[in-house]
Amino acid sequence: MKIEEQAVLLGMSERHGVFVKDIKGYQMQLTTRQNMNGIGKIPCISFVFDREIERQEKQQIMKAQGMLKGYVFFESVGLKDNAVFIYVNATKRNIDKTNAKIDKFIDVFVQSKLKTLTGCPFCESDELTDGHRIVKGALINVHESCVETYVKKVESKIDEHEQSKGMGISLVYGMLGAIFGAVPAMVALIGFGYFVGLLFFLIPFVSFTFYKFGKGPKTKLPLVILGLFSLILVPIIVVYLYHLTAAVEGYTLIEALDLYPEFASEFYYNLGMSFLFSFIGIIISWSYIYKQSTSSTKKRLNEYRS
C-alpha cells in the first residue's frame, strides 16, 4: 500500500511534506527508508526524541516489536541515536492491530521518559525556532544559525579527513586485515570442508578496521580498493591451496585438473563458492563501512543545507 494511503488510515496530516500525527504527547511521522537488503524502500513510522536512546531503552523498544526485530532501526537525527524508525504496513484489515502496536511502543517511550524533540537539536535554547529540516525522512525544527554552525564544523572535519596523509600505509594495514579476516573462513573450509558464509563477512570488516589504524583518509577510493582486494583474496587463497595439494602429488594445478575429474569438480566448486561468499560479504558490509566515509558524511550533510 502506498505511503499516502497508509497516512490516511493512520489519521496523519501533511506538514512540510512529511506525514505527522500527535499521539499521546508524541509526534509520530510516516516516512520511508532503505530496506535492510539495500533493495527498495520500506514504509516506517518514526519518533524523534530530545536525547539519546540508551541501550536498555533500545532493548525495550526491540522487545515491543516482537519477532520482527530487524525492522526496528535507531538513527541520529540532529542528536546521536535519538530517533527510532519502525517498519509499518497499515492496511484496512490490520489497522486496529497496527494502532495497538503503536500504543505498545508509546507505552515504552512513556516508561523510559523519552520526550519528543520539539526545539532545535543543536542547542538547549528556549528561543523559538526559525526553520526546519527533513533528516533521514524525519521532520525537525531548527535554528538556522545553529545549522550553519553545525555544517561548517562538519565540513571542517571532512576537509581534515580528506587531507590526511598515510593512505599508502593504511592500505597495507587494510590488506593485512583482510588476510587475517580470511583465516577463519579458510580454517572452516580446509579443516572441516564447509563454507561458513558468515565468516566471509569478517574479511571486509577486519580490513577496514586495520585500515583505520593507519589514519588514512576515509574517502571512497581506499574503500573501493580494499573491497576489491577482499573480493579476490579468498579465491586466490583457494587456488594457492589447491596448487599445493597438486604439487604434493608431483603435478601442476593444470595437470591435476586435467587428469582428475573429481579433483577438478571440487576445485571449481570451491573456487566459485569462495568468490560468491566473498561478494555477498562485500555487499552486506559495504553499507556499514560506507557510512563511516567522508562521501557518506557529505551526503548526510546535504540534508541540513537549506
Side-chain angles (χ1 to χ4, degrees):
M1 182 175 287
K2 293 181 179 180
I3 189 172
E4 293 82 3
E5 296 173 328
Q6 293 199 48
V8 172
L9 287 174
L10 292 168
M12 308 182 80
S13 57
E14 190 173 352
R15 189 183 305 167
H16 300 300
V18 178
F19 294 107
V20 299
K21 178 181 180 180
D22 293 327
I23 175 172
K24 297 183 178 180
Y26 292 90
Q27 180 174 271
M28 180 177 72
Q29 305 186 37
L30 182 63
T31 184
T32 59
R33 62 161 293 143
Q34 196 76 27
N35 201 348
M36 291 182 65
N37 58 18
I39 302 175
K41 293 187 176 182
I42 58 175
C44 291
I45 54 172
S46 64
F47 297 86
V48 184
F49 304 109
D50 62 356
R51 65 170 175 83
E52 179 181 353
I53 306 171
E54 297 178 359
R55 181 178 180 181
Q56 185 176 0
E57 294 167 343
K58 290 180 180 179
Q59 293 174 346
Q60 292 300 317
I61 293 172
M62 297 282 283
K63 185 177 180 180
Q65 176 68 345
M67 293 183 64
L68 297 177
K69 293 182 178 180
Y71 288 97
V72 174
F73 311 89
F74 298 97
E75 295 281 8
S76 301
V77 178
L79 300 172
K80 180 182 177 182
D81 287 348
N82 67 320
V84 58
F85 291 72
I86 305 162
Y87 169 72
V88 65
N89 185 26
T91 65
K92 292 181 180 179
R93 291 185 177 182
N94 71 6
I95 187 60
D96 290 337
K97 289 184 178 180
T98 300
N99 284 325
K101 174 71 74 172
I102 292 172
D103 288 340
K104 191 174 181 181
F105 280 112
I106 291 178
D107 288 341
V108 174
F109 302 156
V110 172
Q111 292 172 9
S112 301
K113 297 182 180 179
L114 289 166
K115 297 181 180 180
T116 291
L117 175 67
T118 56
C120 177
F122 301 107
C123 67
E124 298 180 358
S125 173
D126 294 329
E127 182 183 351
L128 185 66
T129 55
D130 56 357
H132 68 273
R133 294 291 186 276
I134 299 175
V135 179
K136 298 177 182 176
L139 176 67
I140 59 173
N141 297 315
V142 297
H143 293 129
E144 294 293 346
S145 59
C146 291
V147 173
E148 183 179 354
T149 300
Y150 171 76
V151 169
K152 288 182 178 179
K153 181 179 179 181
V154 175
E155 287 178 336
S156 176
K157 288 184 177 180
I158 291 174
D159 291 339
E160 181 180 341
H161 280 297
E162 292 187 340
Q163 293 173 11
S164 62
K165 300 179 180 179
M167 180 185 292
I169 188 64
S170 295
L171 285 174
V172 172
Y173 285 152
M175 291 176 182
L176 288 174
I179 294 172
F180 278 111
V183 170
M186 289 298 96
V187 169
L189 174 61
I190 304 304
F192 303 98
Y194 293 107
F195 273 98
V196 183
L198 289 175
L199 295 179
F200 285 80
F201 304 158
L202 289 174
I203 299 172
F205 279 115
V206 178
S207 176
F208 183 65
T209 300
F210 273 53
Y211 175 82
K212 291 192 292 185
F213 289 157
K215 297 182 179 180
K218 296 179 183 178
T219 55
K220 188 184 294 185
L221 177 60
L223 300 185
V224 171
I225 293 174
L226 291 177
L228 292 175
F229 181 79
S230 299
L231 180 63
I232 65 175
L233 174 63
V234 176
I236 289 175
I237 294 176
V238 170
V239 171
Y240 179 69
L241 291 174
Y242 274 88
H243 162 73
L244 292 179
T245 302
V248 170
E249 301 297 328
Y251 299 103
T252 66
L253 178 59
I254 299 299
E255 290 173 338
L257 293 174
D258 185 52
L259 293 172
Y260 298 98
E262 290 184 0
F263 178 82
S265 176
E266 178 183 306
F267 168 75
Y268 288 121
Y269 175 80
N270 285 341
L271 182 63
M273 292 297 288
S274 66
F275 186 84
L276 175 63
F277 278 111
S278 296
F279 180 75
I280 294 174
I282 294 296
I283 294 298
I284 293 179
S285 61
W286 175 257
S287 177
Y288 167 79
I289 295 174
Y290 176 73
K291 285 181 180 178
Q292 301 182 53
S293 70
T294 54
S295 298
S296 177
T297 304
K298 286 180 179 179
K299 187 176 180 180
R300 293 195 302 268
L301 195 62
N302 287 334
E303 295 179 310
Y304 291 99
R305 294 190 174 97
S306 56

